[in-house]
Amino acid sequence: MNEKTMTAEEDLRFEQMLAEESVCTKENIVFDRTDTLIDTNMHYCPGCGHGVAHRLIAEVIDELDIQKDTIGVAPVGCSVLAYNYLNIDMNGAAHGRAAAVATGIKRVLPEKYVFTYQGDGDLAAIGTGETIHACNRGENFLIVFINNGIYGMTGGQMAPTTLPGMKSTTSPEGRDIVTMGSPLKITELIAQLPGTYYVTRTAVNSPVNVRKAKAAIKKSFEYQKLNKGTCLVEIVTNCPSNWKMNPVESNKWLEDNMLPFYPLGDIKKPSN
Amino acid sequence: MAKVKGDIVVDINKCKGCELCAVACPQESLELSRKLNSKGYHYIVKIEDNCTGCTNCAMVCPDGIIKVYRKTEKKREQIATITNVTGDITVTVNS
Ligand SMILES: Cc1ncc(C[n+]2csc(CCOP(=O)(O)OP(=O)(O)O)c2C)c(N)n1
Ligand code: SF4
Ligand code: SF4
Ligand code: SF4
């Protein structure tokens, strides 16, 4: 049939036919942005793991349908603006104090799901005291711990988690463990405390690790209902900008260097 | 056998060109564009029509901007063949 002779109805039917053939229809969607993750530009550097970690928290909140009942505490660090991306009630704590702020929130509102989101500088340097004592008291909230081995926001200074020999602006020759100490495995440390219930280490460098990290976050939110103690999910991430690598190289470096030192898996599992 | 066909839609103006999705794609369907988006980044484009809708790219995208579609096409069964009187057109009819 000559195209020019097609009537409007025929034209429409033809287009409908084409649309039927397309895979991009509503019923074929298998992955889409979840509602709790606000549809906006994120300020993170290209390839930064913070974005994936935010997305997983948002997905879990929506899957458990607890958006109205969840309160997050944002840290100081690159993720200081986490509340711009998560459509839930959030609070910004002073540097390192997120676990103390979350303690207050959870004790006043015990029915709410409470979590902190903290970098390694925030949680394991300036906030070590708050972190350890909240875990030791067994405060009933989740700590999401983003370990990128460096102070991201302030330009790449050495963090407690910086690897031996790893260069940073304050360890330009590489971290010397004799003068600077060994990296602090705070996750293993707090797992020793009777107050913690579930402690695990994950990463978001590959699709399979992303799925496991999400499962760990989901479990932790579910455990919060049991009122059994603190859950901590460490997420080993990259910082392409301060590691001075492109995102693909940074994930490769993470796999080759971070993961052997910070092995993935559960460190403390609920006994039941 | 059921045939799986996938597709993705990337919100290219939010793409930062990190290429983590391209590395995660088992089908090697993705590549950076030559052009720049409004933020000045090369963005991700599909270079092959072989997507299976596995969602790997969406899993690792830090900016959460990949939407994934998947459709399983059942194998069509041929139920008739119609040939016109002059024999110059043959139409096969599928269920
Ligand atoms: C009391 C106080 N001391 C120091 C700082 C400076 N400061 C801001 S962010 C930061 C470190 C952040 O590193 P990290 O927690 O690892 O998060 P990232 O940026 O890597 O995500 C520091 C030292 C501050 N804001 N407040
Ligand atoms: S500085 Fe590092 S941690 Fe911060 S947004 Fe950039 S890549 Fe991410
Ligand atoms: S859904 Fe899978 S096959 Fe399709 S582009 Fe993404 S990673 Fe590649
Ligand atoms: S992972 Fe996301 S932001 Fe990075 S290149 Fe792919 S689509 Fe763009």
Side-chain angles (χ1 to χ4, degrees):
Chain A
M1 189 191 290
N2 190 324
E3 243 187 65
K4 284 180 198 135
T5 64
M6 265 174 135
T7 65
E9 286 96 316
E10 277 170 335
D11 225 334
L12 191 75
R13 229 180 304 140
F14 186 63
E15 271 182 17
Q16 278 169 350
M17 236 173 67
L18 282 182
E20 267 167 31
E21 284 300 307
S22 162
V23 183
C24 297
T25 58
K26 233 177 168 177
E27 62 279 9
N28 290 337
I29 294 178
V30 286
F31 185 88
D32 198 2
R33 175 186 285 269
T34 195
D35 290 343
T36 292
L37 191 68
I38 297 169
D39 190 5
T40 181
N41 286 305
M42 287 193 176
H43 72 282
Y44 298 116
C45 309
C48 173
H50 273 304
V52 182
H54 286 12
R55 197 188 76 227
L56 298 184
I57 293 171
E59 286 175 4
V60 167
I61 289 173
D62 287 335
E63 279 172 27
L64 297 175
D65 196 16
I66 55 172
Q67 187 189 23
K68 290 193 189 74
D69 298 313
T70 305
I71 303 174
V73 183
V76 168
C78 284
S79 50
V80 66
L81 300 174
Y83 33 75
N84 284 350
Y85 308 129
L86 295 171
N87 191 11
I88 51 170
D89 286 335
M90 284 195 81
N91 202 300
H95 201 15
R97 315 303 182 223
V101 172
T103 298
I105 294 173
K106 185 72 184 186
R107 287 191 177 200
V108 173
L109 301 166
E111 298 307 315
K112 298 285 179 189
Y113 293 84
V114 177
F115 73 94
T116 73
Y117 184 101
Q118 303 174 258
D120 44 0
D122 190 84
L123 178 144
I126 193 167
T128 315
E130 282 74 7
T131 306
I132 289 184
H133 286 291
C135 291
N136 194 47
R137 293 190 304 268
E139 299 295 343
N140 192 33
F141 56 74
L142 163 67
I143 297 173
V144 179
F145 168 35
I146 306 296
N147 178 7
N148 57 13
I150 210 152
Y151 287 5
M153 185 194 210
T154 43
Q157 292 82 2
M158 191 182 86
T161 46
T162 301
L163 296 180
M166 182 175 166
K167 286 187 179 156
S168 71
T169 52
T170 47
S171 60
E173 307 292 329
R175 182 178 189 154
D176 166 29
I177 57 167
V178 176
T179 53
M180 301 165 192
S182 288
L184 181 60
K185 290 187 175 177
I186 196 156
T187 305
E188 275 83 349
L189 206 129
I190 68 110
Q192 308 296 316
L193 305 173
T196 50
Y197 188 59
Y198 173 54
V199 180
T200 190
R201 182 181 286 120
T202 63
V204 289
N205 61 316
S206 66
V208 58
N209 284 345
V210 170
R211 291 186 173 98
K212 285 185 190 164
K214 182 175 168 185
I217 295 170
K218 192 166 183 178
K219 255 195 262 178
S220 306
F221 272 106
E222 286 166 346
Y223 288 148
Q224 213 171 116
K225 262 190 283 193
L226 307 176
N227 211 5
K228 295 265 180 131
T230 317
C231 293
L232 185 142
V233 177
E234 174 176 339
I235 305 179
V236 181
T237 58
N238 57 354
C239 176
S241 297
N242 289 302
W243 291 3
K244 310 211 182 310
M245 297 171 197
N246 72 38
V248 174
E249 286 164 358
S250 77
N251 268 357
K252 176 87 180 73
W253 194 88
L254 179 147
E255 219 178 295
D256 295 344
N257 298 277
M258 293 286 277
L259 297 188
F261 195 87
Y262 297 111
L264 304 182
D266 292 340
I267 296 160
K268 185 178 200 173
K269 270 199 280 198
S271 40
N272 52 4
Chain B
M1 218 190 70
K3 196 173 154 245
V4 178
K5 174 118 183 70
D7 207 351
I8 62 163
V9 173
V10 182
D11 188 351
I12 55 168
N13 276 321
K14 292 201 186 86
C15 177
K16 295 175 186 160
C18 71
E19 287 189 283
L20 295 183
C21 54
V23 174
C25 176
Q27 297 289 94
E28 301 184 1
S29 318
L30 309 173
E31 208 177 85
L32 282 188
S33 64
R34 298 238 174 95
K35 286 190 198 154
L36 302 177
N37 64 13
S38 57
K39 281 201 295 215
Y41 290 116
H42 294 282
Y43 51 89
I44 277 296
V45 288
K46 257 189 347 180
I47 48 160
E48 298 275 357
D49 190 22
N50 58 356
C51 172
T52 59
C54 71
T55 74
N56 274 6
C57 52
M59 281 301 116
V60 296
C61 174
D63 291 84
I65 52 169
I66 304 179
K67 201 189 244 192
V68 186
Y69 298 84
R70 191 193 309 134
K71 183 170 163 184
T72 310
E73 282 171 359
K74 290 191 203 90
K75 195 184 169 209
R76 290 181 180 181
E77 240 176 86
Q78 186 185 330
I79 55 167
T81 305
I82 305 158
T83 307
N84 69 345
V85 275
T86 50
D88 51 7
I89 300 171
T90 304
V91 180
T92 52
V93 182
N94 294 319
S95 63

